[in-house]
Amino acid sequence: MILPSLLACAALASPALAACSREQLEAVTAAYVKAQAAGDPGLLAFAADASYLENDKVTAVADGALGRALAIDFDRSIHDTTACAAFTELTAASDPDPRVIHTRILLAEGGEAGALRVAAIESVVARTGDWAFNATGHLYWTRQEAWGAIPAERRDAREVIQAAGDAYLDSWGDGGVTVPYGTPCARLEGGAYTGGRAPAANTCTMPAFPEQFTVGNRRYVVDEELGAVSIFNDFPFIDADKPEGTPSTNLIRVEDGKIRYIHEVTVCTNPGCGR
Ligand SMILES: *[C@@H]1O[C@H](CO)[C@@H](O)[C@H](O)[C@H]1NC(C)=O
């Protein structure tokens, strides 16, 4: 068992396990939601050398979003049994300081046999002033979407799901990339929704940006059961004060190889990314 674990570590550049069960991961995301609601990081079992990043900055857990109670209205999680990782989207519209948070969690083996520890958490925390931010709008639209389990015989391979998400990100800075958009397809960008007026149409198509760029530092969580991929990335161009890339995430649902939903959360240096 030692060799596969080491290989997995090298591939993920983090001390994650080669694989773990859906039940284990669901327990972790449930604990994460409780910990964030309470503002009590102690509800999570952290590894001794765990890392915590918030909007790409190393942060002391107690000083970050997780150290402050949050009125969470809605949460949605995906679980990657192959990478032993999970992702949670939190919508907190009724909080006095409304937030939408995308969090990626990597797990590692704990002290006891079979136990998992949180090895790394990275969150993109969006608040008022961030790109198209509107937690009320986010809550309204996310609640209407259907992200249920895809029947086993219709599930896409993780490579297909990830490739659909990658094509979407690639298309921003390269108009020559074909993106497998479905019909319907809707994008929730901050709190703005493309699918409100024409819910049966593909309203996701993103024209190429006025300049070429590459979206780098992509970090993935893939859930074949939900047809979902979360892609943390550095988004160049959009933030006038951070042309090299601002913290951004896309959560994408793929059905029959085609993109059905996109949720984007992007952090801005200055209100509205200075645009
Ligand atoms: C936020 O979204 C809600 C629900 O769609 C909408 O009623 C409200 O006007 C929006 N607020 C802003 C500032 O755009």
Side-chain angles (χ1 to χ4, degrees):
M1 282 310 288
I2 286 171
L3 188 57
S5 295
L6 286 175
L7 288 173
C9 287
L12 291 162
S14 71
L17 291 179
C20 53
S21 77
R22 192 163 191 95
E23 291 68 30
Q24 285 176 305
L25 293 172
E26 285 171 350
V28 169
T29 50
Y32 167 71
V33 174
K34 271 193 187 154
Q36 179 58 84
D40 180 3
L43 297 177
L44 283 167
F46 281 98
D49 57 350
S51 65
Y52 182 81
L53 263 76
E54 210 164 282
N55 296 343
D56 285 353
K57 288 196 190 75
V58 175
T59 306
V61 180
D63 298 339
L66 198 49
R68 172 190 167 282
L70 187 68
I72 299 167
D73 301 296
F74 194 82
D75 65 273
R76 174 188 298 294
S77 292
I78 74 172
H79 303 94
D80 188 333
T81 55
T82 302
C84 200
F87 164 88
T88 298
E89 176 181 75
L90 301 174
T91 313
S94 31
D95 195 272
D97 182 3
R99 293 165 185 216
V100 175
I101 301 178
H102 277 189
T103 292
R104 178 170 175 263
I105 306 174
L106 304 181
L107 286 308
E109 252 163 355
E112 317 89 71
L116 293 179
R117 299 268 165 194
V118 173
I121 288 186
E122 44 189 339
S123 293
V124 172
V125 179
R127 303 166 63 183
T128 302
D130 286 324
W131 185 252
F133 183 83
N134 181 347
T136 306
H138 194 276
L139 179 63
Y140 179 82
W141 293 110
T142 193
R143 270 188 168 146
Q144 299 191 34
E145 294 181 342
W147 287 69
I150 291 173
E153 67 279 7
R154 275 184 52 201
R155 276 178 207 163
D156 290 309
R158 60 189 289 117
E159 293 76 16
V160 170
I161 297 166
Q162 181 173 324
D166 274 334
Y168 174 64
L169 269 64
D170 290 342
S171 75
W172 304 345
D174 179 356
V177 174
T178 302
V179 182
Y181 293 116
T183 303
C185 181
R187 178 172 59 248
L188 180 54
E189 197 171 321
Y193 204 59
T194 62
R197 286 206 192 116
N202 163 25
T203 56
C204 289
T205 302
M206 179 74 87
F209 285 74
E211 66 185 56
Q212 292 228 328
F213 59 81
T214 303
V215 178
N217 194 20
R218 299 185 193 185
R219 291 141 285 161
Y220 304 90
V221 177
V222 179
D223 183 334
E224 296 97 326
E225 190 172 311
L226 297 188
V229 57
S230 142
I231 310 180
F232 278 55
N233 61 87
D234 295 347
F235 184 179
F237 178 81
I238 192 162
D239 189 338
D241 298 297
K242 236 179 167 190
E244 72 282 10
T246 192
S248 182
T249 65
N250 280 261
L251 170 64
I252 294 169
R253 158 99 164 179
V254 175
E255 297 175 358
D256 299 316
K258 307 262 199 246
I259 298 178
R260 174 66 185 90
Y261 299 121
I262 301 168
H263 290 190
E264 179 185 319
V265 173
T266 297
V267 167
C268 297
T269 308
N270 287 304
C273 287
R275 291 184 177 277

